[in-house]
Amino acid sequence: MTNPFLALGLEPRWVANLTALGYTEPTPIQAQAIPLLLAGHDLLGRSQTGTGKTAAFGLPLLQSLDPDATHVQALVVTPTRELALQVTQALRDYARGQGVSILPVYGGQGYGPQLRALRRGRAAVVVGTPGRLLDLLQRGALRLDQVRWVVLDEADEMLSMGFIDDITTLLEATPPERQTALFSATLPRPVRALAEGYMRAPRHIAIQPQETTARGITQQAFRVRERDKLAALTRLLAAHSIATGLIFCRTRANTRAVAQALNDHGWPAAALHGDMSQAAREDVFAAVRRGHVRLLVATDVAARGLDIAQVSHVINYDLPTDPEVYIHRVGRTARAGKTGLAWSLVTPRERGLWRRIERRVRQRIPFGKLPSAQDIAQARQSRLLEQLQRALEEGVPESQAARQVLHTLVDQGHDPLTITLAALHLAQAHEPQAKVLPLHEPTAWTSERREHRRRGAWERERRPRRERREREPGMVRLGFAAGRMHGLRPGDVVGTLAYQARIPGAVIGRIQIGDDTTWVDVPQDYVDQVLAHDAFRWGRRTVKVWKA
Ligand code: AMP
């Protein structure tokens, strides 16, 4: 059986190294990018780290090098020093035994070794950050006039770090007939402009799941503290007319607790969870269909078999830990061309998870303000008005007795308007009022400004240590027996788990790389799948895994 990497057009000399690294199958981005790059095309790749993009550009790049040349032939530009080192290491692994010299250059390191290596003319591939590369170029130490390959890695990150001008200067210093590959998770306008200005008819590839949320669904999020979730829910329910609402909780216990609490406060709701008998489930469905119950509180599993055509509102009381599940949940509304609303309650600990969900649906979902007491009063008023208008339009049933009472009151000298007000007051007083609960912390948990900071790194750096160690709910922490001292990086963890344990990279939560141990948060549902392996192959290393 031929090795699948050979089928992509790679030469046999790489296969042993790839096998030693545990690469038996190309990842999707490799399968798409390698043949295009080998055919000489420029490439615009939309992909994130952890997809295997280093090998996707690295192998064709290495294969195209001239072994006899003594000048820099390929330039890889990365936003950070860490990434420069990672890419260097990966390229060295792929090129092992081939006599290719790959030089990382980055700021914060003395110039001496970099200058010496460049002067000796031994570096075939230079991997670096834009600032230092430019610096070396301007000192005359780095010559790019014979470069045949340029790779811009994580272009959108470089853009947001203000490197765009440095990159154009670097590109200008290379021959226009070079081959160029650009990778970016997003394609903001300046990145597109860069591609248009400096690439020749680039082929586009996108390695991202295609399915996202449907049109017709309005998504909104609300910042709440954990203990305010129920209060927040009652506020949302009070301020909107909900035909059928599907409220998702993460656990069975929570579905029961939330449904019970809603009922206790005058909001008829039914729980739907896996412990229920089929007959009990049928009863719930029937009650919903007859309109007796408008709110269903369900777990993901229980909601699977739910056959209710018109869900007007999906409410994520607990966020799902898997962004894919978010899409399924939200897809329960706005069926058959109808419109629907999807609300999500997001707690401070779920910031990272929320960002992953936004990345998955490929849009920013706006944070709304929870309805105030005034909003709720106004909503009730307009509902009363609507009800009265409808009754007047449909015709009020004739009642001799009521007429008699009115006449008596008017004869007694009461104003008809005052009589009507008294009647409304009585009607409302007799109607069971659903209760709106007060919030413990009426202000949202974070400022708008912070939310608008696009870059996750900013928040990660500034978040207090204690919080960083906390686990997102529903996640289980696993230990890996490898860490910083072995050169492990987050992309390796994602890559290894995704390819070897076959779990979606997007579901992997926080990754903390220690000196010799790494902690990874994985959703409960995937733990068994990961632990089915006692150990993973990472490069030449066998890495043990255990439940923390
Ligand atoms: P990257 O997106 O290039 O940073 O790669 C992420 C991780 O996936 C790294 O640990 C790679 O070693 C690993 N990886 C890349 N390609 C493959 C493959 N074809 N098979 C197995 N692991 C891979």
PDB file of all heavy atoms in Angstrom, residues 5 21-27 29-30 48-56 83 86 90 94 489-496 499-500 538-539, ligand 1:
ATOM      1  N   PHE A   5       0.979  10.125   1.689  1.00  0.00           N
ATOM      2  CA  PHE A   5       1.711  11.369   1.427  1.00  0.00           C
ATOM      3  C   PHE A   5       2.378  11.322   0.050  1.00  0.00           C
ATOM      4  O   PHE A   5       2.516  12.351  -0.608  1.00  0.00           O
ATOM      5  CB  PHE A   5       2.745  11.638   2.524  1.00  0.00           C
ATOM      6  CG  PHE A   5       2.114  12.107   3.799  1.00  0.00           C
ATOM      7  CD1 PHE A   5       1.850  11.210   4.834  1.00  0.00           C
ATOM      8  CD2 PHE A   5       1.749  13.441   3.970  1.00  0.00           C
ATOM      9  CE1 PHE A   5       1.250  11.641   6.001  1.00  0.00           C
ATOM     10  CE2 PHE A   5       1.143  13.879   5.141  1.00  0.00           C
ATOM     11  CZ  PHE A   5       0.895  12.971   6.154  1.00  0.00           C
ATOM     12  N   LEU A  21       7.140  10.620  13.020  1.00  0.00           N
ATOM     13  CA  LEU A  21       6.374  11.625  13.767  1.00  0.00           C
ATOM     14  C   LEU A  21       4.944  11.167  14.044  1.00  0.00           C
ATOM     15  O   LEU A  21       4.168  11.865  14.688  1.00  0.00           O
ATOM     16  CB  LEU A  21       6.313  12.937  12.968  1.00  0.00           C
ATOM     17  CG  LEU A  21       7.618  13.714  12.852  1.00  0.00           C
ATOM     18  CD1 LEU A  21       7.489  14.810  11.806  1.00  0.00           C
ATOM     19  CD2 LEU A  21       7.988  14.334  14.198  1.00  0.00           C
ATOM     20  N   GLY A  22       4.599  10.005  13.500  1.00  0.00           N
ATOM     21  CA  GLY A  22       3.242   9.493  13.723  1.00  0.00           C
ATOM     22  C   GLY A  22       2.250  10.013  12.706  1.00  0.00           C
ATOM     23  O   GLY A  22       1.042   9.898  12.875  1.00  0.00           O
ATOM     24  N   TYR A  23       2.731  10.631  11.605  1.00  0.00           N
ATOM     25  CA  TYR A  23       1.817  11.114  10.567  1.00  0.00           C
ATOM     26  C   TYR A  23       1.570   9.963   9.591  1.00  0.00           C
ATOM     27  O   TYR A  23       2.401   9.677   8.750  1.00  0.00           O
ATOM     28  CB  TYR A  23       2.417  12.261   9.759  1.00  0.00           C
ATOM     29  CG  TYR A  23       2.694  13.554  10.478  1.00  0.00           C
ATOM     30  CD1 TYR A  23       2.679  13.650  11.865  1.00  0.00           C
ATOM     31  CD2 TYR A  23       2.968  14.711   9.749  1.00  0.00           C
ATOM     32  CE1 TYR A  23       2.954  14.853  12.496  1.00  0.00           C
ATOM     33  CE2 TYR A  23       3.239  15.919  10.378  1.00  0.00           C
ATOM     34  CZ  TYR A  23       3.236  15.976  11.754  1.00  0.00           C
ATOM     35  OH  TYR A  23       3.504  17.157  12.370  1.00  0.00           O
ATOM     36  N   THR A  24       0.424   9.338   9.709  1.00  0.00           N
ATOM     37  CA  THR A  24       0.133   8.250   8.776  1.00  0.00           C
ATOM     38  C   THR A  24      -0.814   8.715   7.676  1.00  0.00           C
ATOM     39  O   THR A  24      -0.764   8.234   6.559  1.00  0.00           O
ATOM     40  CB  THR A  24      -0.475   7.050   9.516  1.00  0.00           C
ATOM     41  OG1 THR A  24      -1.519   7.573  10.345  1.00  0.00           O
ATOM     42  CG2 THR A  24       0.547   6.343  10.383  1.00  0.00           C
ATOM     43  N   GLU A  25      -1.664   9.648   8.020  1.00  0.00           N
ATOM     44  CA  GLU A  25      -2.657  10.172   7.065  1.00  0.00           C
ATOM     45  C   GLU A  25      -2.485  11.668   6.982  1.00  0.00           C
ATOM     46  O   GLU A  25      -2.303  12.319   8.011  1.00  0.00           O
ATOM     47  CB  GLU A  25      -4.075   9.960   7.629  1.00  0.00           C
ATOM     48  CG  GLU A  25      -4.558   8.553   7.647  1.00  0.00           C
ATOM     49  CD  GLU A  25      -5.161   8.171   6.322  1.00  0.00           C
ATOM     50  OE1 GLU A  25      -5.516   9.098   5.557  1.00  0.00           O
ATOM     51  OE2 GLU A  25      -5.255   6.972   6.042  1.00  0.00           O
ATOM     52  N   PRO A  26      -2.610  12.259   5.805  1.00  0.00           N
ATOM     53  CA  PRO A  26      -2.578  13.718   5.742  1.00  0.00           C
ATOM     54  C   PRO A  26      -3.836  14.299   6.400  1.00  0.00           C
ATOM     55  O   PRO A  26      -4.896  13.678   6.333  1.00  0.00           O
ATOM     56  CB  PRO A  26      -2.604  14.024   4.236  1.00  0.00           C
ATOM     57  CG  PRO A  26      -2.448  12.727   3.545  1.00  0.00           C
ATOM     58  CD  PRO A  26      -2.769  11.631   4.495  1.00  0.00           C
ATOM     59  N   THR A  27      -3.708  15.442   7.010  1.00  0.00           N
ATOM     60  CA  THR A  27      -4.891  16.122   7.527  1.00  0.00           C
ATOM     61  C   THR A  27      -5.574  16.808   6.331  1.00  0.00           C
ATOM     62  O   THR A  27      -4.949  16.952   5.277  1.00  0.00           O
ATOM     63  CB  THR A  27      -4.499  17.178   8.580  1.00  0.00           C
ATOM     64  OG1 THR A  27      -3.769  18.207   7.908  1.00  0.00           O
ATOM     65  CG2 THR A  27      -3.647  16.593   9.679  1.00  0.00           C
ATOM     66  N   ILE A  29      -6.140  19.845   5.512  1.00  0.00           N
ATOM     67  CA  ILE A  29      -5.432  20.976   4.901  1.00  0.00           C
ATOM     68  C   ILE A  29      -4.206  20.475   4.132  1.00  0.00           C
ATOM     69  O   ILE A  29      -3.862  21.011   3.074  1.00  0.00           O
ATOM     70  CB  ILE A  29      -5.051  22.048   5.948  1.00  0.00           C
ATOM     71  CG1 ILE A  29      -4.653  23.331   5.230  1.00  0.00           C
ATOM     72  CG2 ILE A  29      -3.937  21.618   6.861  1.00  0.00           C
ATOM     73  CD1 ILE A  29      -4.455  24.507   6.140  1.00  0.00           C
ATOM     74  N   GLN A  30      -3.583  19.429   4.623  1.00  0.00           N
ATOM     75  CA  GLN A  30      -2.412  18.876   3.917  1.00  0.00           C
ATOM     76  C   GLN A  30      -2.854  18.263   2.586  1.00  0.00           C
ATOM     77  O   GLN A  30      -2.222  18.476   1.552  1.00  0.00           O
ATOM     78  CB  GLN A  30      -1.705  17.843   4.798  1.00  0.00           C
ATOM     79  CG  GLN A  30      -1.013  18.488   5.984  1.00  0.00           C
ATOM     80  CD  GLN A  30      -0.706  17.527   7.122  1.00  0.00           C
ATOM     81  OE1 GLN A  30      -0.918  16.321   7.011  1.00  0.00           O
ATOM     82  NE2 GLN A  30      -0.228  18.070   8.227  1.00  0.00           N
ATOM     83  N   GLN A  48      -6.823  27.434  11.109  1.00  0.00           N
ATOM     84  CA  GLN A  48      -6.293  27.772  12.418  1.00  0.00           C
ATOM     85  C   GLN A  48      -5.160  26.833  12.783  1.00  0.00           C
ATOM     86  O   GLN A  48      -4.936  25.845  12.088  1.00  0.00           O
ATOM     87  CB  GLN A  48      -7.417  27.674  13.451  1.00  0.00           C
ATOM     88  CG  GLN A  48      -8.280  28.903  13.390  1.00  0.00           C
ATOM     89  CD  GLN A  48      -9.704  28.645  13.796  1.00  0.00           C
ATOM     90  OE1 GLN A  48     -10.092  27.510  14.000  1.00  0.00           O
ATOM     91  NE2 GLN A  48     -10.468  29.703  13.893  1.00  0.00           N
ATOM     92  N   THR A  49      -4.482  27.144  13.889  1.00  0.00           N
ATOM     93  CA  THR A  49      -3.417  26.237  14.316  1.00  0.00           C
ATOM     94  C   THR A  49      -4.053  24.924  14.758  1.00  0.00           C
ATOM     95  O   THR A  49      -5.220  24.875  15.120  1.00  0.00           O
ATOM     96  CB  THR A  49      -2.628  26.790  15.517  1.00  0.00           C
ATOM     97  OG1 THR A  49      -3.562  27.367  16.385  1.00  0.00           O
ATOM     98  CG2 THR A  49      -1.593  27.780  15.089  1.00  0.00           C
ATOM     99  N   GLY A  50      -3.251  23.904  14.719  1.00  0.00           N
ATOM    100  CA  GLY A  50      -3.780  22.608  15.134  1.00  0.00           C
ATOM    101  C   GLY A  50      -4.387  21.845  13.975  1.00  0.00           C
ATOM    102  O   GLY A  50      -4.889  20.747  14.142  1.00  0.00           O
ATOM    103  N   THR A  51      -4.356  22.407  12.775  1.00  0.00           N
ATOM    104  CA  THR A  51      -4.937  21.721  11.627  1.00  0.00           C
ATOM    105  C   THR A  51      -3.867  20.995  10.822  1.00  0.00           C
ATOM    106  O   THR A  51      -4.179  20.289   9.874  1.00  0.00           O
ATOM    107  CB  THR A  51      -5.637  22.727  10.694  1.00  0.00           C
ATOM    108  OG1 THR A  51      -4.717  23.805  10.437  1.00  0.00           O
ATOM    109  CG2 THR A  51      -6.894  23.276  11.317  1.00  0.00           C
ATOM    110  N   GLY A  52      -2.601  21.203  11.181  1.00  0.00           N
ATOM    111  CA  GLY A  52      -1.517  20.569  10.443  1.00  0.00           C
ATOM    112  C   GLY A  52      -0.996  21.438   9.310  1.00  0.00           C
ATOM    113  O   GLY A  52      -0.436  20.946   8.337  1.00  0.00           O
ATOM    114  N   LYS A  53      -1.146  22.757   9.460  1.00  0.00           N
ATOM    115  CA  LYS A  53      -0.762  23.605   8.324  1.00  0.00           C
ATOM    116  C   LYS A  53       0.748  23.742   8.179  1.00  0.00           C
ATOM    117  O   LYS A  53       1.231  24.001   7.079  1.00  0.00           O
ATOM    118  CB  LYS A  53      -1.441  24.973   8.411  1.00  0.00           C
ATOM    119  CG  LYS A  53      -0.964  25.862   9.519  1.00  0.00           C
ATOM    120  CD  LYS A  53      -1.702  27.184   9.429  1.00  0.00           C
ATOM    121  CE  LYS A  53      -1.929  27.802  10.777  1.00  0.00           C
ATOM    122  NZ  LYS A  53      -0.775  28.492  11.302  1.00  0.00           N
ATOM    123  N   THR A  54       1.500  23.527   9.253  1.00  0.00           N
ATOM    124  CA  THR A  54       2.959  23.656   9.129  1.00  0.00           C
ATOM    125  C   THR A  54       3.487  22.634   8.117  1.00  0.00           C
ATOM    126  O   THR A  54       4.299  22.961   7.258  1.00  0.00           O
ATOM    127  CB  THR A  54       3.628  23.459  10.495  1.00  0.00           C
ATOM    128  OG1 THR A  54       2.868  24.167  11.464  1.00  0.00           O
ATOM    129  CG2 THR A  54       5.050  23.984  10.485  1.00  0.00           C
ATOM    130  N   ALA A  55       2.996  21.410   8.222  1.00  0.00           N
ATOM    131  CA  ALA A  55       3.441  20.399   7.246  1.00  0.00           C
ATOM    132  C   ALA A  55       2.839  20.690   5.878  1.00  0.00           C
ATOM    133  O   ALA A  55       3.451  20.409   4.853  1.00  0.00           O
ATOM    134  CB  ALA A  55       3.029  19.006   7.715  1.00  0.00           C
ATOM    135  N   ALA A  56       1.639  21.293   5.875  1.00  0.00           N
ATOM    136  CA  ALA A  56       0.975  21.571   4.598  1.00  0.00           C
ATOM    137  C   ALA A  56       1.839  22.484   3.728  1.00  0.00           C
ATOM    138  O   ALA A  56       1.979  22.265   2.536  1.00  0.00           O
ATOM    139  CB  ALA A  56      -0.394  22.191   4.836  1.00  0.00           C
ATOM    140  N   LEU A  83       5.904  31.018  17.882  1.00  0.00           N
ATOM    141  CA  LEU A  83       5.492  30.344  16.654  1.00  0.00           C
ATOM    142  C   LEU A  83       6.696  30.138  15.739  1.00  0.00           C
ATOM    143  O   LEU A  83       6.821  29.092  15.083  1.00  0.00           O
ATOM    144  CB  LEU A  83       4.384  31.139  15.955  1.00  0.00           C
ATOM    145  CG  LEU A  83       3.696  30.414  14.802  1.00  0.00           C
ATOM    146  CD1 LEU A  83       3.080  29.104  15.241  1.00  0.00           C
ATOM    147  CD2 LEU A  83       2.608  31.284  14.178  1.00  0.00           C
ATOM    148  N   GLN A  86       8.404  27.139  16.994  1.00  0.00           N
ATOM    149  CA  GLN A  86       7.629  25.918  16.723  1.00  0.00           C
ATOM    150  C   GLN A  86       7.755  25.509  15.264  1.00  0.00           C
ATOM    151  O   GLN A  86       7.933  24.329  14.951  1.00  0.00           O
ATOM    152  CB  GLN A  86       6.145  26.159  17.027  1.00  0.00           C
ATOM    153  CG  GLN A  86       5.841  26.252  18.497  1.00  0.00           C
ATOM    154  CD  GLN A  86       4.483  26.888  18.746  1.00  0.00           C
ATOM    155  OE1 GLN A  86       3.635  26.924  17.859  1.00  0.00           O
ATOM    156  NE2 GLN A  86       4.267  27.395  19.943  1.00  0.00           N
ATOM    157  N   ALA A  90       9.344  22.128  13.771  1.00  0.00           N
ATOM    158  CA  ALA A  90       8.572  21.221  12.911  1.00  0.00           C
ATOM    159  C   ALA A  90       9.311  20.999  11.593  1.00  0.00           C
ATOM    160  O   ALA A  90       9.458  19.857  11.140  1.00  0.00           O
ATOM    161  CB  ALA A  90       7.181  21.797  12.664  1.00  0.00           C
ATOM    162  N   TYR A  94      10.698  17.510   9.949  1.00  0.00           N
ATOM    163  CA  TYR A  94      10.334  16.969   8.635  1.00  0.00           C
ATOM    164  C   TYR A  94      11.586  16.724   7.788  1.00  0.00           C
ATOM    165  O   TYR A  94      11.626  15.811   6.984  1.00  0.00           O
ATOM    166  CB  TYR A  94       9.406  17.927   7.861  1.00  0.00           C
ATOM    167  CG  TYR A  94       8.152  18.307   8.608  1.00  0.00           C
ATOM    168  CD1 TYR A  94       7.573  19.574   8.464  1.00  0.00           C
ATOM    169  CD2 TYR A  94       7.527  17.406   9.472  1.00  0.00           C
ATOM    170  CE1 TYR A  94       6.430  19.930   9.162  1.00  0.00           C
ATOM    171  CE2 TYR A  94       6.389  17.759  10.171  1.00  0.00           C
ATOM    172  CZ  TYR A  94       5.850  19.024  10.022  1.00  0.00           C
ATOM    173  OH  TYR A  94       4.733  19.374  10.718  1.00  0.00           O
ATOM    174  N   ARG A 489       3.727  22.172  22.462  1.00  0.00           N
ATOM    175  CA  ARG A 489       3.007  23.428  22.297  1.00  0.00           C
ATOM    176  C   ARG A 489       1.522  23.129  22.152  1.00  0.00           C
ATOM    177  O   ARG A 489       1.159  21.987  21.826  1.00  0.00           O
ATOM    178  CB  ARG A 489       3.527  24.180  21.079  1.00  0.00           C
ATOM    179  CG  ARG A 489       3.484  23.338  19.837  1.00  0.00           C
ATOM    180  CD  ARG A 489       4.486  23.805  18.805  1.00  0.00           C
ATOM    181  NE  ARG A 489       4.511  22.852  17.732  1.00  0.00           N
ATOM    182  CZ  ARG A 489       3.938  23.035  16.524  1.00  0.00           C
ATOM    183  NH1 ARG A 489       3.317  24.155  16.263  1.00  0.00           N
ATOM    184  NH2 ARG A 489       4.007  22.121  15.608  1.00  0.00           N
ATOM    185  N   PRO A 490       0.664  24.130  22.395  1.00  0.00           N
ATOM    186  CA  PRO A 490      -0.777  23.844  22.367  1.00  0.00           C
ATOM    187  C   PRO A 490      -1.226  23.163  21.075  1.00  0.00           C
ATOM    188  O   PRO A 490      -2.024  22.235  21.097  1.00  0.00           O
ATOM    189  CB  PRO A 490      -1.406  25.226  22.507  1.00  0.00           C
ATOM    190  CG  PRO A 490      -0.370  26.062  23.179  1.00  0.00           C
ATOM    191  CD  PRO A 490       0.955  25.523  22.737  1.00  0.00           C
ATOM    192  N   GLY A 491      -0.681  23.599  19.959  1.00  0.00           N
ATOM    193  CA  GLY A 491      -1.066  22.995  18.678  1.00  0.00           C
ATOM    194  C   GLY A 491      -0.779  21.500  18.643  1.00  0.00           C
ATOM    195  O   GLY A 491      -1.507  20.725  18.029  1.00  0.00           O
ATOM    196  N   ASP A 492       0.302  21.089  19.337  1.00  0.00           N
ATOM    197  CA  ASP A 492       0.634  19.662  19.360  1.00  0.00           C
ATOM    198  C   ASP A 492      -0.430  18.886  20.112  1.00  0.00           C
ATOM    199  O   ASP A 492      -0.806  17.784  19.732  1.00  0.00           O
ATOM    200  CB  ASP A 492       1.980  19.426  20.073  1.00  0.00           C
ATOM    201  CG  ASP A 492       3.118  20.086  19.337  1.00  0.00           C
ATOM    202  OD1 ASP A 492       3.048  20.171  18.111  1.00  0.00           O
ATOM    203  OD2 ASP A 492       4.079  20.527  20.007  1.00  0.00           O
ATOM    204  N   VAL A 493      -0.896  19.485  21.210  1.00  0.00           N
ATOM    205  CA  VAL A 493      -1.891  18.800  22.034  1.00  0.00           C
ATOM    206  C   VAL A 493      -3.174  18.645  21.218  1.00  0.00           C
ATOM    207  O   VAL A 493      -3.755  17.561  21.128  1.00  0.00           O
ATOM    208  CB  VAL A 493      -2.165  19.604  23.325  1.00  0.00           C
ATOM    209  CG1 VAL A 493      -3.230  18.914  24.150  1.00  0.00           C
ATOM    210  CG2 VAL A 493      -0.880  19.787  24.117  1.00  0.00           C
ATOM    211  N   VAL A 494      -3.577  19.744  20.595  1.00  0.00           N
ATOM    212  CA  VAL A 494      -4.805  19.708  19.796  1.00  0.00           C
ATOM    213  C   VAL A 494      -4.634  18.707  18.654  1.00  0.00           C
ATOM    214  O   VAL A 494      -5.477  17.835  18.427  1.00  0.00           O
ATOM    215  CB  VAL A 494      -5.135  21.114  19.238  1.00  0.00           C
ATOM    216  CG1 VAL A 494      -6.355  21.055  18.336  1.00  0.00           C
ATOM    217  CG2 VAL A 494      -5.366  22.095  20.374  1.00  0.00           C
ATOM    218  N   GLY A 495      -3.510  18.805  17.980  1.00  0.00           N
ATOM    219  CA  GLY A 495      -3.260  17.929  16.836  1.00  0.00           C
ATOM    220  C   GLY A 495      -3.255  16.461  17.247  1.00  0.00           C
ATOM    221  O   GLY A 495      -3.922  15.622  16.643  1.00  0.00           O
ATOM    222  N   THR A 496      -2.528  16.170  18.316  1.00  0.00           N
ATOM    223  CA  THR A 496      -2.405  14.791  18.758  1.00  0.00           C
ATOM    224  C   THR A 496      -3.770  14.223  19.147  1.00  0.00           C
ATOM    225  O   THR A 496      -4.147  13.129  18.715  1.00  0.00           O
ATOM    226  CB  THR A 496      -1.451  14.730  19.971  1.00  0.00           C
ATOM    227  OG1 THR A 496      -0.235  15.356  19.588  1.00  0.00           O
ATOM    228  CG2 THR A 496      -1.161  13.321  20.388  1.00  0.00           C
ATOM    229  N   TYR A 499      -6.139  13.958  15.971  1.00  0.00           N
ATOM    230  CA  TYR A 499      -5.852  12.931  14.980  1.00  0.00           C
ATOM    231  C   TYR A 499      -5.809  11.533  15.585  1.00  0.00           C
ATOM    232  O   TYR A 499      -6.261  10.584  14.976  1.00  0.00           O
ATOM    233  CB  TYR A 499      -4.541  13.228  14.249  1.00  0.00           C
ATOM    234  CG  TYR A 499      -4.596  14.550  13.565  1.00  0.00           C
ATOM    235  CD1 TYR A 499      -3.632  15.516  13.800  1.00  0.00           C
ATOM    236  CD2 TYR A 499      -5.658  14.858  12.721  1.00  0.00           C
ATOM    237  CE1 TYR A 499      -3.721  16.752  13.193  1.00  0.00           C
ATOM    238  CE2 TYR A 499      -5.744  16.086  12.109  1.00  0.00           C
ATOM    239  CZ  TYR A 499      -4.777  17.037  12.337  1.00  0.00           C
ATOM    240  OH  TYR A 499      -4.873  18.246  11.754  1.00  0.00           O
ATOM    241  N   GLN A 500      -5.263  11.424  16.787  1.00  0.00           N
ATOM    242  CA  GLN A 500      -5.105  10.076  17.320  1.00  0.00           C
ATOM    243  C   GLN A 500      -6.323   9.614  18.104  1.00  0.00           C
ATOM    244  O   GLN A 500      -6.701   8.460  18.038  1.00  0.00           O
ATOM    245  CB  GLN A 500      -3.823   9.978  18.138  1.00  0.00           C
ATOM    246  CG  GLN A 500      -2.607  10.188  17.230  1.00  0.00           C
ATOM    247  CD  GLN A 500      -1.300  10.158  18.001  1.00  0.00           C
ATOM    248  OE1 GLN A 500      -1.120   9.400  18.923  1.00  0.00           O
ATOM    249  NE2 GLN A 500      -0.369  11.018  17.609  1.00  0.00           N
ATOM    250  N   TRP A 538       3.725  11.368  20.132  1.00  0.00           N
ATOM    251  CA  TRP A 538       3.951  12.754  19.754  1.00  0.00           C
ATOM    252  C   TRP A 538       5.396  12.818  19.265  1.00  0.00           C
ATOM    253  O   TRP A 538       6.333  12.693  20.026  1.00  0.00           O
ATOM    254  CB  TRP A 538       3.709  13.683  20.945  1.00  0.00           C
ATOM    255  CG  TRP A 538       4.153  15.065  20.647  1.00  0.00           C
ATOM    256  CD1 TRP A 538       3.699  15.862  19.639  1.00  0.00           C
ATOM    257  CD2 TRP A 538       5.154  15.807  21.333  1.00  0.00           C
ATOM    258  NE1 TRP A 538       4.366  17.043  19.650  1.00  0.00           N
ATOM    259  CE2 TRP A 538       5.256  17.044  20.680  1.00  0.00           C
ATOM    260  CE3 TRP A 538       5.965  15.543  22.427  1.00  0.00           C
ATOM    261  CZ2 TRP A 538       6.147  18.017  21.081  1.00  0.00           C
ATOM    262  CZ3 TRP A 538       6.846  16.514  22.834  1.00  0.00           C
ATOM    263  CH2 TRP A 538       6.925  17.743  22.170  1.00  0.00           C
ATOM    264  N   GLY A 539       5.539  12.958  17.995  1.00  0.00           N
ATOM    265  CA  GLY A 539       6.869  12.854  17.401  1.00  0.00           C
ATOM    266  C   GLY A 539       7.419  11.472  17.698  1.00  0.00           C
ATOM    267  O   GLY A 539       6.733  10.465  17.494  1.00  0.00           O
TER     268      GLY A 539
HETATM  269  P1  AMP B   1       0.087  22.557  13.156  1.00  0.00           P
HETATM  270  O1  AMP B   1      -1.303  23.000  12.793  1.00  0.00           O
HETATM  271  O2  AMP B   1       0.972  22.497  11.976  1.00  0.00           O
HETATM  272  O3  AMP B   1       0.654  23.376  14.270  1.00  0.00           O
HETATM  273  O4  AMP B   1      -0.006  21.034  13.667  1.00  0.00           O
HETATM  274  C1  AMP B   1      -0.671  20.687  14.857  1.00  0.00           C
HETATM  275  C2  AMP B   1      -0.248  19.331  15.383  1.00  0.00           C
HETATM  276  O5  AMP B   1      -0.718  18.292  14.533  1.00  0.00           O
HETATM  277  C3  AMP B   1       1.249  19.135  15.505  1.00  0.00           C
HETATM  278  O6  AMP B   1       1.509  18.488  16.714  1.00  0.00           O
HETATM  279  C4  AMP B   1       1.585  18.240  14.377  1.00  0.00           C
HETATM  280  O7  AMP B   1       2.717  17.453  14.688  1.00  0.00           O
HETATM  281  C5  AMP B   1       0.350  17.396  14.259  1.00  0.00           C
HETATM  282  N1  AMP B   1       0.118  16.888  12.892  1.00  0.00           N
HETATM  283  C6  AMP B   1       0.194  17.606  11.750  1.00  0.00           C
HETATM  284  N2  AMP B   1      -0.070  16.827  10.685  1.00  0.00           N
HETATM  285  C7  AMP B   1      -0.334  15.584  11.153  1.00  0.00           C
HETATM  286  C8  AMP B   1      -0.684  14.336  10.524  1.00  0.00           C
HETATM  287  N3  AMP B   1      -0.816  14.224   9.222  1.00  0.00           N
HETATM  288  N4  AMP B   1      -0.877  13.294  11.341  1.00  0.00           N
HETATM  289  C9  AMP B   1      -0.721  13.417  12.673  1.00  0.00           C
HETATM  290  N5  AMP B   1      -0.402  14.539  13.327  1.00  0.00           N
HETATM  291  C10 AMP B   1      -0.220  15.633  12.570  1.00  0.00           C
END
